Amino acid sequence: MAGFGWKLHGDGKRLLPGEVVKPDERLSWGRTAGLGAQHVVSMIGACFVAPVLMGLDPNLALMASGVATILFLLLTRGRIPSYLGSSLSFVGVAAVIAGQGGDAGTLTGALFVVGAALALSGVIIQLIGGHVIHTVLPPAVTGAVVMLIGFNLAPVAAGTYWPQDQWTALATMLFTGLALVVLRGFWARIAIFLGLLFGYALSWVLDRTAGKIHSADGSGKVTDHWRVDFSGVADADWIGTPTFHAPSFEWSAILVALPVLVALIAENAGHVKAVGEMTGDPLDDKMGTAIAADGTATMLSTAVGGPATTTYAENIGVMAATRIYSTAAYWAAAGFAVLFGLCPKFGAVVAAIPGGVLGGITVILYGMIGLLGAQIWVRNKVDFAQPLNLVPAAAGVIVGIGGVSLKFTDNFELSGIALGTLIVLTGYHALRWLSKAAGTHHPGLLDGGTTGYDTDDSGAAPGAAPDGARPGPRPDQG
């Protein structure tokens, strides 16, 4: 099956409790279209927030996500139900490139190269086998890279968006956090989107009740201005094509963007495994194909001025909730996304999102991206008592977050995300090889319980062995 020819599941209308609709099956076309619309709602928040934060056209991003999803479904021959939306992993890269004087063309040129590298990596992984991912990118490395990519964004949220309207930013942050924690099911999956709508509405109400705000605008200039500016919405057409532009290529920008390749490979691998577990169809033999398809879709999107794409966990969550894995629903979702992309007025509404609202959203969003790295460490039980795991991650994360730079010539230097990733990746493998070559074994660097509140009344740590007895191994040491 190349993405078409779905079998009708039952009568196409009713599903018994616990019943599953497989990728090569579908419900009635009306219900399939409804499922496609649900997938659009679940992904649309992140899909248009990403291009807004990167200074790209949100209409083009939506259209590109639809086309990218269609391409992904064709290349994976309809076996992997996934939606490809705008990748948030490059938001920090966009900020760095903009700080270096790069424009939208420079950014999309760098993302195009990353897409090509991702496609090539997918081909290699498909030829060698999925195990190569875990060999080259063990959890200790992947977690550190994802963490520094997320936390490197902190100055953008704190210095660019939050100051534009600090109280709206605070209210949006609190509402979004509450929605993420309190809501359940489908509503919890679109909590970021709901937070955005809340902040948008609050800004509009404050404009009508409190008047203009005296603060920094999007350019950083302190002026009296409205929080919500709908002038662009009124001038926008209902139907029209997005703004296309060609990428341009600069080595400095490419080197900043390339480290994100590590996160993309890990993200794709995780999503493919999750889909395989849900559908009951092990997809390890398609791991490389999925990664190559994502890279190819990114090249297609960035070639016309759109953002990089990636498989979306939001849509995987919808499948988990509905137990409907039909790729027909993803074709419907892709069609809706293309139609949204042809409505400039919709894009103008997105572009009018107040900076303070983005401040509240990004404080949570960027932190969540960074803490995904910690989640990778926890789930894979990475032991940071071992110097091999601790030292490269510690050095790389601080270099990446702190913006440390290493100057080679007057025109070339490495810093931030690029340098941090290089230190983590090369440091881990170099130290691992040297440790094996030297035959050394190091005790743990971090003591697991030496603080005062970890002791009982006698001064001994809870569970400590009696005097003279040899303590057993800690749980994390097996």
Side-chain angles (χ1 to χ4, degrees):
M1 183 185 69
F4 299 100
W6 302 274
K7 296 177 292 185
L8 187 65
H9 182 88
D11 63 0
K13 298 177 181 179
R14 301 177 187 84
L15 286 176
L16 298 175
E19 201 169 1
V20 171
V21 178
K22 297 179 180 179
D24 61 346
E25 297 178 332
R26 66 168 178 85
L27 299 178
S28 66
W29 285 117
R31 287 168 174 76
T32 297
L35 287 166
Q38 179 172 270
H39 277 298
V40 170
V41 172
S42 71
M43 69 82 185
I44 202 168
C47 196
F48 72 58
V49 166
V52 168
L53 296 178
M54 292 189 286
L56 300 176
D57 184 351
N59 272 66
L60 179 56
L62 279 175
M63 178 183 286
S65 75
V67 175
T69 299
I70 292 171
L71 179 63
F72 181 88
L73 293 171
L74 289 173
L75 292 178
T76 58
R77 301 185 65 79
R79 190 172 163 194
I80 305 176
S82 285
Y83 192 92
L84 265 61
S86 307
S87 175
L88 281 160
S89 298
F90 292 96
V91 173
V93 169
V96 173
I97 292 175
Q100 294 175 346
D103 57 12
T106 308
L107 171 62
T108 52
L111 303 191
F112 181 91
V113 174
V114 175
L118 184 63
L120 178 61
S121 299
V123 172
I124 294 172
I125 291 167
Q126 189 63 28
L127 292 174
I128 298 177
H131 65 278
V132 70
I133 296 177
H134 306 292
T135 301
V136 178
L137 301 174
V141 171
T142 306
V145 173
V146 173
M147 177 173 284
L148 67 88
I149 287 172
F151 290 161
N152 184 263
L153 302 171
V156 178
T160 301
Y161 297 121
W162 191 280
Q164 294 184 42
D165 188 354
Q166 60 175 359
W167 296 112
T168 298
L170 179 63
T172 303
M173 180 194 73
L174 293 175
F175 178 89
T176 305
L178 183 68
L180 285 165
V181 173
V182 174
L183 297 181
R184 293 290 182 268
F186 172 73
W187 294 106
R189 302 187 195 285
I190 61 168
I192 297 291
F193 181 60
L194 295 177
L196 227 164
L197 293 179
F198 168 82
Y200 213 136
L202 176 62
S203 297
W204 185 84
V205 170
L206 289 175
D207 277 345
R208 298 299 176 276
T209 56
K212 292 184 177 181
I213 186 172
H214 182 75
S215 68
D217 58 15
S219 65
K221 183 179 179 181
V222 178
T223 62
D224 290 321
H225 60 276
W226 298 111
R227 296 167 181 83
V228 181
D229 182 5
F230 281 135
S231 59
V233 178
D235 297 335
D237 296 326
W238 280 103
I239 299 175
T241 56
T243 303
F244 299 100
H245 70 257
S248 58
F249 303 96
E250 295 183 13
W251 273 112
S252 59
I254 292 170
L255 290 173
V256 169
L258 272 176
V260 183
L261 178 67
V262 175
L264 294 179
I265 292 175
E267 183 178 43
N268 273 277
H271 288 175
V272 170
K273 283 185 173 295
V275 171
E277 289 175 3
M278 285 191 301
T279 61
D281 177 19
L283 296 171
D284 286 354
D285 62 319
K286 284 290 183 181
M287 185 81 71
T289 301
I291 293 172
D294 186 12
T296 305
T298 291
M299 293 171 65
L300 178 64
S301 175
T302 55
V304 296
T309 62
T310 188
T311 50
Y312 260 27
E314 289 90 339
N315 299 93
I316 294 174
V318 171
M319 287 194 297
T322 62
R323 305 195 74 181
I324 299 173
Y325 311 122
S326 172
T327 55
Y330 282 103
W331 278 90
F336 284 127
V338 172
L339 290 176
F340 272 126
L342 293 173
C343 180
K345 196 171 286 290
F346 174 79
V349 171
V350 173
I353 297 172
V357 178
L358 293 176
I361 293 292
T362 53
V363 162
I364 293 178
L365 196 59
Y366 295 170
M368 288 171 64
I369 294 172
L371 289 176
L372 283 175
Q375 186 181 51
I376 291 172
W377 289 337
V378 171
R379 285 187 173 181
N380 291 277
K381 300 180 180 178
V382 177
D383 183 7
F384 282 109
Q386 298 304 315
L388 176 60
N389 295 330
L390 176 66
V391 174
V397 167
I398 292 300
V399 165
I401 296 174
V404 175
S405 62
L406 192 62
K407 190 171 184 178
F408 293 89
T409 68
D410 291 339
N411 300 318
F412 177 69
E413 70 175 25
L414 289 174
S415 62
I417 295 174
L419 183 58
T421 299
L422 187 65
I423 287 175
V424 173
L425 187 59
T426 61
Y428 177 88
H429 288 290
L431 290 176
R432 186 169 182 268
W433 182 83
L434 289 171
S435 178
K436 284 188 174 182
T440 55
H441 175 73
H442 297 281
L445 290 181
L446 301 179
D447 198 342
T450 57
T451 55
Y453 56 78
D454 280 339
T455 58
D456 59 24
D457 294 337
S458 67
D467 291 343
R470 182 179 179 180
R474 297 203 315 266
D476 61 342
Q477 294 177 326

